[in-house]
Amino acid sequence: SRHDRSIPSRPCIDAPPLERWSAQRRHLPVPANRGTPAMELRVEDCGSVGLSADCYVGIRVGEVLKQGRYEPNRLYHFPNVDRRRTAKIDIYKHVGSAVVAVDPELPGRNEQEVDVAPVGGAPKPEFRLKVCSQARATTDASKEQREAKAKTLKSQAKDYLTKHCIEDKLSEAVKSLLKDQPANPMEVLCRTLLGGELP
């Protein structure tokens, strides 16, 4: 009969290009994250030199620089890598350390000469360091601007609290709360501030 006849479906290849693309697109997996992709880099010695644990790795991708002690399984994460880039990898070795005292209250320019202590069993470095330190001077004008800005913000906050009677309402609500001491203080406090009736 007319209702029993089956009508064969048209294959996608006979459909117009837009319909074929829409039909095929329905079967494609949707990426979990459509934002800017992130990258992970891992740097491992191939065994030709043998990087030791006292080496440091620096990797720069674009404007982002990541540094850390060399660990073969360490991952360096770089978020928001929007296009193909080159990664610059630098290998450093810790040859020594020095400690100096810095004091921002000391006037003028201060110079110190310090010895560089060797690291681990490395030989003592044959050099000294001269460290110059100087407190960064702040102008009176910038200080006055900060004080004026802080004063303005404080005045605006006080005017806002006064306009809406915040301090008076809070004071009355806290007094009522301390007097009754209900088992649900936060709920009662909120209802009091909102003008609701207390239970």
Side-chain angles (χ1 to χ4, degrees):
S1 64
R2 183 179 59 183
H3 300 285
D4 296 332
R5 267 189 317 185
S6 60
I7 301 176
S9 59
R10 297 177 60 188
C12 289
I13 192 171
D14 295 332
L18 182 59
E19 294 181 8
R20 290 203 306 269
W21 179 82
S22 300
Q24 294 171 0
R25 190 173 183 269
R26 287 196 294 268
H27 302 286
L28 293 177
V30 179
N33 183 11
R34 293 180 178 272
T36 305
M39 296 291 297
E40 290 183 347
L41 276 74
R42 183 166 65 93
V43 177
E44 184 178 0
D45 178 28
C46 297
S48 56
V49 178
L51 293 179
S52 56
D54 61 345
C55 292
Y56 288 79
V57 178
I59 305 177
R60 179 183 293 275
V61 177
E63 299 298 326
V64 180
L65 174 64
K66 298 294 183 72
Q67 293 179 325
R69 186 185 294 272
Y70 170 68
E71 297 177 9
N73 296 322
R74 180 170 185 170
L75 290 175
Y76 297 85
H77 302 273
F78 293 88
N80 303 328
V81 181
D82 55 352
R83 58 184 175 84
R84 181 175 179 178
R85 293 178 177 270
T86 57
K88 185 176 184 296
I89 302 175
D90 295 310
I91 306 298
Y92 309 95
K93 191 166 185 179
H94 194 179
V95 297
S97 298
V99 179
V100 296
V102 293
D103 189 350
E105 296 182 357
L106 291 178
R109 179 185 176 94
N110 299 278
E111 293 185 358
Q112 303 178 63
E113 290 190 4
V114 294
D115 292 321
V116 178
V119 178
K124 183 177 180 180
E126 298 180 358
F127 58 87
R128 289 167 57 86
L129 297 178
K130 181 170 71 172
V131 182
C132 301
S133 62
Q134 184 175 2
R136 184 178 179 181
T138 57
T139 62
D140 293 338
S142 62
K143 183 178 180 181
E144 292 177 358
Q145 290 177 357
R146 291 197 301 271
E147 292 178 351
K149 184 177 180 180
K151 185 177 181 180
T152 301
L153 293 175
K154 184 177 180 180
S155 177
Q156 291 176 350
K158 186 175 181 180
D159 292 342
Y160 176 81
L161 295 176
T162 302
K163 178 181 178 181
H164 296 280
C165 303
I166 301 297
E167 293 178 325
D168 295 339
K169 292 180 180 178
L170 283 175
S171 178
E172 292 297 328
V174 171
K175 288 180 181 179
S176 176
L177 194 68
L178 293 176
K179 179 181 178 181
D180 300 333
Q181 296 186 3
N184 52 344
M186 296 303 298
E187 180 181 351
V188 173
L189 181 63
C190 293
R191 294 179 60 182
T192 303
L193 294 175
L194 293 175
E197 297 181 357
L198 296 178

